Amino acid sequence: AQTVTQSQPEMSVQEAETVTLSCTYDTSESDYYLFWYKQPPSRQMILVIRQEAYKQQNATENRFSVNFQKAAKSFSLKISDSQLGDAAMYFCAYSEGETSGSRLTFGEGTQLTVNP
Amino acid sequence: EAGVAQSPRYKIIEKRQSVAFWCNPISGHATLYWYQQILGQGPKLLIQFQNNGVVDDSQLPKDRFSAERLKGVDSTLKIQPAKLEDSAVYLCASSFMTGSPGNTIYFGEGSWLTVV
């Protein structure tokens, strides 16, 4: 079974600085998708960024970017110019797409605190 | 575009009682998911529907949990009888169609259940 591991239960960053959240995963598949979701206290999961495994180029969405290392099965999220609104729980997630019906397997989450 | 709607948002029940949660997915989304998120953990898939058929219910505790999706639109998740360990947030999510790799999955705000 596929597993997703987030080794940092908590992280903190100063406003306007950069922080990197780590994620590793285990799979025997070659074609899959990886995601970072943000979950504020309201508990709604909000998609931050996604990466297709067959693409070598790292995905970027404004201040959010990933470092995808397929051989190492690593998928980290970098948040630049951190803002107070970035404070939330962040989940790394994996999906195989066609073989699993796109359902997500989540890590345990990293609680991000942004200090003013 | 309206998002995934869930109700009730909050429910407190005593153990051995029953509870039902309702979900209305985004219009046109064929795939619907129910996830259970226990405090401090990542969400775990309970059941996945494609239209009104079950794609995966391998993680659903069938002795107490049931779910249906009549007419391929709304869905109801029921717990009977509830146990203390069922205290969690129940997240409903939907996506356009199963089998499209990397489908974006949209989540509702969740239904918070406390069993006392």
Side-chain angles (χ1 to χ4, degrees):
Chain A
Q2 288 72 27
T3 58
V4 178
T5 303
Q6 294 178 248
S7 59
Q8 306 155 315
E10 298 176 349
M11 290 285 285
S12 63
V13 63
Q14 291 297 125
E15 194 175 4
E17 307 230 320
T18 297
V19 64
T20 299
L21 309 184
S22 300
C23 172
T24 59
Y25 58 94
D26 184 27
T27 183
S28 58
E29 302 295 325
S30 59
D31 187 20
Y32 51 87
Y33 290 75
L34 296 164
F35 305 82
W36 279 98
Y37 276 86
K38 171 184 178 181
Q39 188 179 47
S42 70
R43 290 296 188 124
Q44 185 172 22
M45 303 287 276
I46 301 165
L47 180 64
V48 175
I49 197 166
R50 76 177 194 180
Q51 174 78 42
E52 292 91 334
Y54 63 86
K55 288 188 177 179
Q56 293 188 346
Q57 186 174 6
N58 290 323
T60 300
E61 288 287 342
N62 300 314
R63 297 182 296 107
F64 298 87
S65 61
V66 299
N67 183 5
F68 173 48
Q69 301 290 326
K70 190 172 184 178
K73 296 180 181 175
S74 169
F75 181 61
S76 61
L77 174 70
K78 184 171 83 171
I79 306 174
S80 303
D81 186 25
S82 297
Q83 301 176 0
L84 296 176
D86 294 334
M89 181 73 86
Y90 286 81
F91 289 96
C92 179
Y94 166 98
S95 168
E96 284 180 12
E98 294 196 37
T99 58
S100 69
S102 301
R103 58 184 170 271
L104 297 166
T105 299
F106 287 90
E108 296 300 299
T110 297
Q111 181 68 51
L112 177 66
T113 300
V114 181
N115 300 310
Chain B
E1 178 181 83
V4 177
Q6 291 188 244
S7 68
R9 289 296 316 281
Y10 305 94
K11 192 75 175 178
I12 301 174
I13 62 172
E14 294 183 350
K15 58 184 179 184
R16 291 187 291 275
Q17 286 188 327
S18 63
V19 63
F21 299 114
W22 171 84
C23 173
N24 181 236
I26 293 173
S27 178
H29 280 194
T31 307
L32 185 146
Y33 313 78
W34 283 102
Y35 284 84
Q36 179 193 55
Q37 186 178 19
I38 294 172
L39 185 65
Q41 299 181 14
K44 290 182 172 55
L45 181 71
L46 289 176
I47 190 168
Q48 177 183 348
F49 293 95
Q50 170 76 2
N51 295 311
N52 60 349
V54 175
V55 174
D56 182 2
D57 64 354
S58 58
Q59 300 300 310
L60 188 73
K62 297 180 184 65
D63 57 334
R64 299 183 298 104
F65 286 66
S66 64
E68 60 182 10
R69 190 183 184 197
L70 300 177
K71 301 181 181 178
V73 182
D74 294 5
S75 177
T76 302
L77 176 71
K78 296 180 181 178
I79 308 173
Q80 181 179 16
K83 292 185 175 181
L84 296 177
E85 58 261 36
D86 297 332
S87 295
V89 177
Y90 292 86
L91 295 165
C92 181
S94 69
S95 64
F96 182 61
M97 59 185 293
T98 297
S100 290
N103 265 341
T104 296
I105 298 177
Y106 298 87
F107 286 81
E109 291 187 309
S111 292
W112 299 55
L113 173 65
T114 301
V115 182
V116 298

